[in-house]
Amino acid sequence: MADPRRFSDRAEAGARLGAALRDRGVDADVVLAIPRGGLPLGRAVADALDAPLDIVVAQKIGAPGNPEYAIGAVASDGTVWRNEEAFSRTGSDEDYFEREREREAENARRKVEQYRGDRPAPDLTGKRVVVVDDGVATGSTVRACLRMLADRDAERIVLAVPVGPPRTVDELSVMADDVVCLLTPSGFMGVGQFYERFDQVSDEEAMSYLELDE
């Protein structure tokens, strides 16, 4: 019997997320997945909601000497979110942050070009948008994505993730019109803890989920 407190893989997490969104009566004109890990779930959610699938991209800004520790994130259009507490605690300065912001914004733009190719970005004006990722910990990249989308005149933005710690989910609920999160465990150490299989998703695999909409 499946463990309701865990997901077997991203495909199952996406199927459960899609079903939860349908049960809540969430409608979508477009589903935006965050590459790479969000795309397997985004495909399942888009199919469940009968909506096209596209991407929204942000890159983490890592701390000096510890690139895995996020002090912020920047979206592909340059929109930035900064964790002021982490920024101060890690001894970062404005020059360092600006250099990393510019570098990661360019990486995000390149990823958009790689994944979207010649296809134009979807017009979100007046649209109901569902943003999907495979989970949130601090939620840095999700925050940058939501901040970017807030300026795109969408009618409604719903964030949908399988799992995240209660504090992060509460904070994200301020940035979106609604947040659908299936699991909010207090004993949270990382997203992968709640998957039986949480392998890296390659760019090739991630892009294959988009090709179904071409």
Side-chain angles (χ1 to χ4, degrees):
M1 183 176 179
D3 186 347
R5 298 165 300 177
R6 298 185 78 202
F7 307 99
S8 59
D9 55 18
R10 288 182 178 88
E12 193 224 345
R16 286 169 60 179
L17 200 53
L21 289 163
R22 277 203 319 269
D23 289 345
R24 289 180 62 154
V26 174
D27 293 317
D29 295 304
V30 63
V31 173
L32 300 179
I34 299 177
R36 294 178 303 233
L39 273 161
L41 292 87
R43 177 77 268 161
V45 168
D47 290 346
L49 300 182
D50 194 23
L53 176 65
D54 210 287
I55 56 169
V56 59
V57 178
Q59 294 284 117
K60 178 170 59 180
I61 298 172
N66 186 6
E68 291 304 310
Y69 183 74
I71 59 173
V74 60
S76 56
D77 72 340
T79 299
V80 70
W81 174 80
R82 187 161 87 180
N83 183 332
E84 296 295 346
E85 181 182 340
F87 177 84
S88 300
R89 190 167 58 238
T90 57
S92 304
D93 59 37
E94 296 294 342
D95 288 343
Y96 170 84
F97 191 87
E98 182 59 22
R99 285 196 309 272
E100 290 301 296
R101 186 199 68 77
E102 290 180 1
R103 185 171 70 88
E104 294 300 350
E106 179 60 25
N107 288 337
R109 284 191 290 271
R110 288 176 181 168
K111 183 171 283 189
V112 168
E113 292 172 3
Q114 176 187 8
Y115 276 63
R116 191 174 281 143
D118 295 330
R119 291 178 302 172
D123 180 5
L124 303 183
T125 304
K127 300 293 178 62
R128 299 161 299 178
V129 180
V130 174
V131 178
V132 179
D133 204 358
D134 57 9
V136 292
T138 62
S140 57
T141 53
V142 169
R143 293 172 202 257
C145 289
L146 291 175
R147 183 164 285 182
M148 177 179 76
L149 295 174
D151 296 327
R152 299 296 173 88
D153 296 322
E155 176 186 317
R156 182 172 174 80
I157 298 174
V158 176
L159 173 64
V161 292
V163 62
R167 177 181 174 183
T168 298
V169 172
D170 286 345
E171 291 171 353
L172 290 170
S173 68
V174 178
M175 303 183 72
D177 294 300
D178 193 12
V179 175
V180 176
C181 183
L182 304 182
L183 303 177
T184 54
S186 55
F188 187 98
M189 292 183 291
V191 172
Q193 169 190 3
F194 300 95
Y195 285 82
E196 292 174 18
R197 288 201 311 280
F198 196 64
D199 301 333
Q200 286 278 1
V201 177
S202 68
D203 285 320
E204 292 74 18
E205 179 189 348
M207 285 188 285
S208 74
Y209 296 102
L210 289 170
E211 290 168 1
L212 297 176
D213 278 337
E214 293 183 350

